Amino acid sequence: PPGPWRIYGLTTSPSEHPDPLSSEIAEVGIERFLQALPDLPFRSLVATVDHPPADWSPTFAAGFQRLQGYDLREQLPSLFGDASDGNADRVQHDYLAARAELCREAMAVWATQSRLAFRRTRMLDRTNHAHPLDSLSVPEVPGIVPGPLLTPENLPLFRFAASAAHLNSRPLVAARVEAMDWEQVPRTPREIKRQLDLAFLAGANFVSLDTGLSRGAPLAGIWRDVNQLCHYITRCQMILQAGAPDPDLLLYYPAPDFWSDRGGIPSDKTEQMRWLRPTGFLDTARRLDEHGITYDIVSDRLLEKASVMDGHLVLGGLHYKGIVLPEVRRFPESSATHLLDLARKGAKVGIVGDWPLDVPGLPMPDVRRGTLFTSMQAIP
């Protein structure tokens, strides 16, 4: 009809790559790999994923409706912040949560397909739009890439891989030292050892060194000492792999808050540190570290698997003395009801700051908020 209109365009650029937000990326990727290398002994290989970031795809609208229960195309003004109904943060949350879940589903297909052809799957904590904990729960070996950001005060940012392994009963946590930036790469065995020691503190127990470390003038002499360095790594790995983790607490990762506020947490590690610095999650994690209290980070998906035994939370075969919610504002009502059930069975629940006051997402927030209040008020 005649009159002023605002037009929104959701497009996908032509690309030879498969859809990164569907199982196509895993199925096509594995098929291409098998066709390109038909004669390799696949059972001796490690399948590694580096999931490309994507904001939209031809299958996203259907996937969103399946996950969130409504058509995103009917909420485009809210998605782009143009609506005046106050739903912008709720639609933004649902969009980011759906994008993360579609990434995780694609990774799950990759892992299943890889296990059919290879022996083990591994994924490093790299840039992507998936949930940092749920996505690292997919492979058999989650891992990190130590770098200049891996400092004692930034350890919480690198604990997702170890937490994913612990909570899913996975014995190995990888750390890969790479030579991608000559300005930032460790240039001596001492610098590499310092990074590896911090990686061990972050939970890693399975180290690989990028062969690119042997290239380039700044590192020309590093291999004179590589035998001693590798012997040190071997001794540390042997002790760490022979032991078992024994963390004190579960620390809740408030993804609903991050997806609802400021457009979601950045995928770049440097930007993540700037973004997380004023949050209660990072502050609580650092305070636990300062007091020598060990913890694993837990998501809503993983919390659903928790049970109670003798007053302790049990998850991944490990026993935790309790769970801490760090200044959580939005909390899913399904997690709240499960937490209430755990508390009634004897689990200890700690809150930093106030109780959660709202639920994330758009569908029926008033009804779900009532469930949240009822559950939270009943928790001892």
Side-chain angles (χ1 to χ4, degrees):
W5 285 82
R6 183 181 295 272
I7 299 176
Y8 298 90
L10 300 173
T11 64
T12 53
S13 302
S15 173
E16 63 178 6
H17 300 292
D19 181 355
L21 294 176
S22 76
S23 59
E24 179 188 5
I25 189 172
E27 295 168 350
V28 174
I30 294 294
E31 182 179 354
R32 287 179 180 176
F33 189 83
L34 294 174
Q35 290 175 352
L37 303 170
D39 299 324
L40 281 182
F42 294 114
R43 292 187 180 277
S44 65
L45 296 181
V46 174
T48 306
V49 69
D50 191 2
H51 200 283
D55 296 315
W56 188 257
S57 81
T59 60
F60 188 88
F64 181 95
Q65 186 154 11
R66 171 174 60 85
L67 294 169
Q68 304 295 357
Y70 64 95
D71 192 340
L72 179 63
R73 293 169 296 186
E74 297 177 357
Q75 299 293 334
L76 295 184
S78 294
L79 177 64
F80 290 102
D82 295 332
S84 58
D85 54 9
N87 288 331
D89 61 338
R90 297 189 180 279
V91 175
Q92 177 80 8
H93 165 275
D94 289 345
Y95 163 74
L96 295 173
R99 186 178 67 177
E101 178 60 15
L102 291 173
C103 282
R104 189 202 67 80
E105 290 180 353
M107 292 176 189
V109 174
W110 157 80
T112 302
Q113 296 283 356
S114 296
R115 291 186 189 112
L116 296 177
F118 313 114
R119 176 173 295 176
R120 180 180 292 160
T121 53
R122 179 178 66 192
M123 185 176 73
L124 302 176
D125 185 11
R126 294 186 184 272
T127 300
N128 60 61
H129 291 318
H131 190 294
L133 194 60
D134 291 344
S135 61
L136 286 167
S137 298
V138 171
E140 293 171 274
V141 183
I144 62 173
V145 181
L149 281 176
L150 182 50
T151 60
E153 60 270 17
N154 291 344
L155 275 178
L157 189 63
F158 292 84
R159 285 225 170 89
F160 290 100
S163 296
H166 298 168
L167 300 180
N168 291 280
S169 303
R170 310 269 167 78
L172 296 179
V173 181
R176 179 173 173 82
V177 180
E178 298 187 340
M180 301 181 68
D181 188 339
W182 294 119
E183 297 300 322
Q184 298 180 343
V185 71
R187 295 166 181 257
T188 66
R190 167 184 264 183
E191 292 177 4
I192 294 178
K193 177 186 178 298
R194 183 176 178 275
Q195 280 201 359
L196 290 175
D197 287 344
L198 289 171
F200 291 144
L201 288 175
N205 61 3
F206 175 55
V207 175
S208 61
L209 300 177
D210 186 354
T211 54
L213 290 169
S214 63
R215 300 192 299 267
L219 302 173
I222 196 171
W223 292 107
R224 291 177 301 182
D225 303 304
V226 74
N227 284 340
Q228 288 78 7
L229 177 64
C230 288
H231 288 324
Y232 172 75
I233 294 173
T234 300
R235 290 194 297 272
C236 292
Q237 285 188 168
M238 204 160 57
I239 294 172
L240 291 170
Q241 292 180 16
D246 186 25
D248 298 311
L249 297 174
L250 288 171
L251 178 63
Y252 176 73
Y253 178 72
D257 280 344
F258 296 159
W259 286 330
S260 299
D261 297 336
R262 296 184 285 164
I265 187 171
S267 53
D268 179 75
K269 276 285 188 288
T270 304
E271 294 299 321
Q272 278 186 18
M273 288 312 306
R274 296 195 187 102
W275 199 99
L276 282 170
R277 194 160 290 131
T279 63
F281 168 76
L282 185 59
D283 183 59
T284 303
R286 285 177 170 173
R287 287 172 182 244
L288 291 174
D289 282 338
E290 291 169 2
H291 288 80
I293 300 173
T294 57
Y295 59 90
D296 277 330
I297 304 169
V298 66
S299 66
D300 292 289
R301 172 183 291 276
L302 291 171
L303 185 60
E304 293 176 359
K305 304 177 183 179
S307 59
V308 179
M309 180 183 297
D310 298 329
H312 286 72
L313 283 165
V314 180
L315 193 54
L318 301 178
H319 291 242
Y320 299 86
K321 298 176 183 176
I323 182 173
V324 176
L325 273 59
E327 297 187 11
V328 177
R329 296 176 53 222
R330 299 173 183 85
F331 195 54
E333 75 285 354
S334 57
S335 296
T337 55
H338 183 55
L339 202 60
L340 173 60
D341 181 60
L342 296 173
R344 284 173 171 168
K345 294 177 180 177
K348 297 178 178 64
V349 180
I351 303 287
V352 178
D354 297 325
W355 294 94
L357 300 176
D358 201 358
V359 292
L362 182 60
M364 299 183 295
D366 294 334
V367 175
R368 295 186 293 115
R369 192 183 299 113
T371 303
L372 171 70
F373 285 161
T374 302
S375 301
M376 289 286 98
Q377 291 173 357
I379 291 180

